Amino acid sequence: MIILGIETSCDETGISIYDNKLGILTNKLFSQNIIHTKYGGIMPEIASKNHYKKIFTVLNQALNKSKKKIQDINIIAYSAGPGLPNSLLIGTTLAKSISLIYKIPSVPINHLEAHIMSIMINKDKPNFPFISLITSGAHTILCIVKGYGKYKIIGQSLDDSAGELFDKISILLKLKLPGGKYISKLSKYSNKNLNFPKPLINKNTLNFSFSGLKTHIFNYIKNNKLNFNNKANIAFSLQESITTILVEKIKLASKKYKINNLSIVGGVSSNNYLRKKMYNLIKFNKNVFFNPKKLCTDNAAMIAYTGWIKYSLDKKIRNNLKIDIKSKWKINEKF
């Protein structure tokens, strides 16, 4: 089976061709990070316009790289939510158009579920049940994955997400997007831990809160000179606080539910400092799983793979040509 994956939930235009026997044949991506950096964050209207401009180019690149034609595609999987409505509509419209013309089944995919399932693409992957920490865009969520399509949310951010905080502080430090990448690079030059707060770290809850940390750093930047050394210290201290919070919460979840298989997915999971802290849990009999970095950020391979799983579990999937999205689609909700 050949699956076409389409990802346009935010500002990344992704097209992937996935073979259920051979794996990922190609995973093309057009990133708008440079475009949105100058605005200090994602501009929804600009994001959707760039999806429209680039999606056919990325589609042709993916088909050429995989040496496949549209006629070879057996299933189309597309991000239907959560995400920016106009961005989701671009990918959904493309999926439905190809589905109509070539009579190929199309499968709506929850973007966050695809992040969870992306860990299963790898040879080294967790057994069910496992705990998944999703750190993608505006989401920081802890859930128990009992099987394909079986998720129980056990914790989530009460305000800002970890990824949002990295981005916001990165902009204040006059760095680029995605913030986590450039914060991590700058942190290597730090010579002092500023000991920023770690909200809810000592509370017996699996929820997260990052707004207090954000306010503290905003005030610190306002009251201190931003020379290179101080910027590096801010970057390191921010990274230290966020990664400590994430690790401590997943440890608490592991202890509470007696599940030792742990995975972290989403853009923040590409952070090397976080990975080092998580791998330290192996000494406590924890099995820790990360994706290769190309599968951490938004991508279409995870959409294609999840589409294959959905279709294999329900081969009665038929074409639904309604252009439908769900911009606030929760992981454990039906479409």
Side-chain angles (χ1 to χ4, degrees), residues 220-287:
Y220 183 89
I221 291 174
K222 181 180 179 180
N223 296 318
N224 291 272
K225 292 183 179 180
L226 281 183
N227 55 41
F228 180 82
N229 187 59
N230 208 16
K231 282 185 178 182
N233 291 337
I234 292 169
F236 175 82
S237 304
L238 168 64
Q239 180 176 251
E240 170 64 23
S241 287
I242 289 179
T243 56
T244 299
I245 292 167
L246 296 178
V247 171
E248 289 303 313
K249 291 301 179 182
I250 201 169
K251 280 171 60 179
L252 181 60
S254 176
K255 180 180 180 180
K256 183 174 181 179
Y257 290 96
K258 296 180 173 58
I259 296 174
N260 291 330
N261 290 320
L262 313 173
S263 76
I264 300 185
V265 296
V268 177
S269 70
S270 63
N271 182 283
N272 288 329
Y273 195 70
L274 173 61
R275 290 183 177 225
K276 183 178 179 180
K277 284 188 173 185
M278 280 296 297
Y279 284 134
N280 285 336
L281 296 182
I282 294 174
K283 67 182 71 170
F284 299 104
N285 297 317
K286 309 295 183 186
N287 299 311

Side-chain angles (χ1 to χ4, degrees), residues 55 61 99-100 103 158 178 184 204 236 239 272 283 294 316:
I55 197 163
Q61 289 174 346
S99 179
L100 173 63
K103 296 180 171 57
L158 303 175
S184 180
N204 188 28
F236 175 82
Q239 180 176 251
N272 288 329
K283 67 182 71 170
K294 64 182 178 181
K316 294 181 180 179

Side-chain angles (χ1 to χ4, degrees), residues 37-64:
T37 293
K38 62 182 178 181
Y39 298 107
I42 305 300
M43 301 295 288
E45 183 179 354
I46 293 173
S48 60
K49 285 182 178 179
N50 278 284
H51 284 308
Y52 176 76
K53 290 179 181 178
K54 295 294 183 178
I55 197 163
F56 286 104
T57 299
V58 181
L59 174 62
N60 288 328
Q61 289 174 346
L63 291 170
N64 291 336

Side-chain angles (χ1 to χ4, degrees), residues 19-304:
D19 186 314
N20 72 304
K21 292 183 179 179
L22 300 177
I24 301 171
L25 301 182
T26 184
N27 189 24
K28 291 293 182 179
L29 192 72
F30 168 72
S31 174
Q32 299 183 36
N33 285 328
I34 295 176
I35 297 171
H36 294 279
T37 293
K38 62 182 178 181
Y39 298 107
I42 305 300
M43 301 295 288
E45 183 179 354
I46 293 173
S48 60
K49 285 182 178 179
N50 278 284
H51 284 308
Y52 176 76
K53 290 179 181 178
K54 295 294 183 178
I55 197 163
F56 286 104
T57 299
V58 181
L59 174 62
N60 288 328
Q61 289 174 346
L63 291 170
N64 291 336
K65 180 72 181 294
S66 64
K67 299 181 181 179
K68 299 294 180 183
K69 299 178 181 178
I70 290 292
Q71 293 89 333
D72 298 321
I73 303 298
N74 303 114
I75 307 165
I76 303 168
Y78 62 96
S79 286
L84 301 175
N86 288 344
S87 291
L88 290 167
L89 282 170
I90 301 297
T92 299
T93 302
L94 176 62
K96 298 295 185 176
S97 299
I98 297 173
S99 179
L100 173 63
I101 296 169
Y102 294 95
K103 296 180 171 57
I104 304 170
S106 60
V107 187
I109 300 299
N110 183 302
H111 174 85
L112 296 177
E113 180 182 12
H115 271 300
I116 294 172
M117 286 295 100
S118 65
I119 205 74
M120 306 303 287
I121 300 175
N122 309 306
K123 290 183 179 180
D124 186 23
K125 54 191 173 185
N127 295 318
F128 298 118
F130 64 91
I131 293 173
S132 180
L133 172 57
I134 310 161
T135 58
S136 172
H139 303 90
T140 302
I141 301 171
L142 265 173
C143 69
I144 297 174
V145 184
K146 300 177 181 179
Y148 293 115
K150 299 177 181 178
Y151 316 110
K152 178 183 179 181
I153 295 175
I154 56 175
Q156 56 192 321
S157 179
L158 303 175
D159 37 62
D160 297 271
S161 72
E164 285 176 320
L165 186 50
F166 271 128
D167 286 346
K168 289 174 181 178
I169 302 305
S170 181
I171 294 298
L172 285 178
L173 297 180
K174 302 188 185 307
L175 304 176
K176 299 177 182 179
L177 297 177
K181 175 181 178 180
Y182 294 97
I183 291 287
S184 180
K185 286 183 176 180
L186 181 58
S187 70
K188 295 176 182 178
Y189 298 95
S190 172
N191 60 12
K192 182 181 180 181
N193 184 355
L194 301 174
N195 294 310
F196 289 154
K198 302 174 180 64
L200 299 184
I201 192 69
N202 295 317
K203 301 292 183 180
N204 188 28
T205 175
L206 296 176
N207 289 326
F208 304 85
S209 175
F210 295 102
S211 63
L213 174 58
K214 177 184 70 176
T215 301
H216 181 91
I217 298 174
F218 278 14
N219 289 332
Y220 183 89
I221 291 174
K222 181 180 179 180
N223 296 318
N224 291 272
K225 292 183 179 180
L226 281 183
N227 55 41
F228 180 82
N229 187 59
N230 208 16
K231 282 185 178 182
N233 291 337
I234 292 169
F236 175 82
S237 304
L238 168 64
Q239 180 176 251
E240 170 64 23
S241 287
I242 289 179
T243 56
T244 299
I245 292 167
L246 296 178
V247 171
E248 289 303 313
K249 291 301 179 182
I250 201 169
K251 280 171 60 179
L252 181 60
S254 176
K255 180 180 180 180
K256 183 174 181 179
Y257 290 96
K258 296 180 173 58
I259 296 174
N260 291 330
N261 290 320
L262 313 173
S263 76
I264 300 185
V265 296
V268 177
S269 70
S270 63
N271 182 283
N272 288 329
Y273 195 70
L274 173 61
R275 290 183 177 225
K276 183 178 179 180
K277 284 188 173 185
M278 280 296 297
Y279 284 134
N280 285 336
L281 296 182
I282 294 174
K283 67 182 71 170
F284 299 104
N285 297 317
K286 309 295 183 186
N287 299 311
V288 178
F289 298 89
F290 283 96
N291 273 322
K293 293 189 178 182
K294 64 182 178 181
L295 293 180
C296 291
T297 54
D298 292 352
N299 66 90
M302 67 183 191
I303 303 298

